[in-house]
Amino acid sequence: MVLDRLLAFVDAPEQLVQLILEHKINTLWGRGLEYIAEPDVPTAAGLDLLEQR
């Protein structure tokens, strides 16, 4: 219900997700923690096939 109401303030659900992530990062940073995003590198050779199983 809360997410439905918040969607009225953004143009797309992706924008809402980005705002939530930014809030989460700022909250963690305020507590002395650092958010490290998943790296944008391909998986090791064949590892992606194992993850699909």
Side-chain angles (χ1 to χ4, degrees):
M1 189 166 78
V2 172
L3 291 176
D4 285 336
R5 290 183 182 179
L6 289 174
L7 282 172
F9 296 101
V10 295
D11 296 329
E14 293 82 13
Q15 188 180 10
L16 178 60
V17 170
Q18 185 62 35
L19 290 172
I20 292 171
L21 180 60
E22 288 174 11
H23 174 73
K24 188 175 188 178
I25 291 170
N26 289 333
T27 301
L28 291 173
W29 184 77
R31 294 180 179 180
L33 300 172
E34 184 176 349
Y35 174 81
I36 301 174
E38 188 174 324
D40 293 334
V41 295
T43 58
L47 185 59
D48 56 336
L49 298 176
L50 289 174
E51 290 177 347
Q52 290 177 0
R53 293 181 177 233

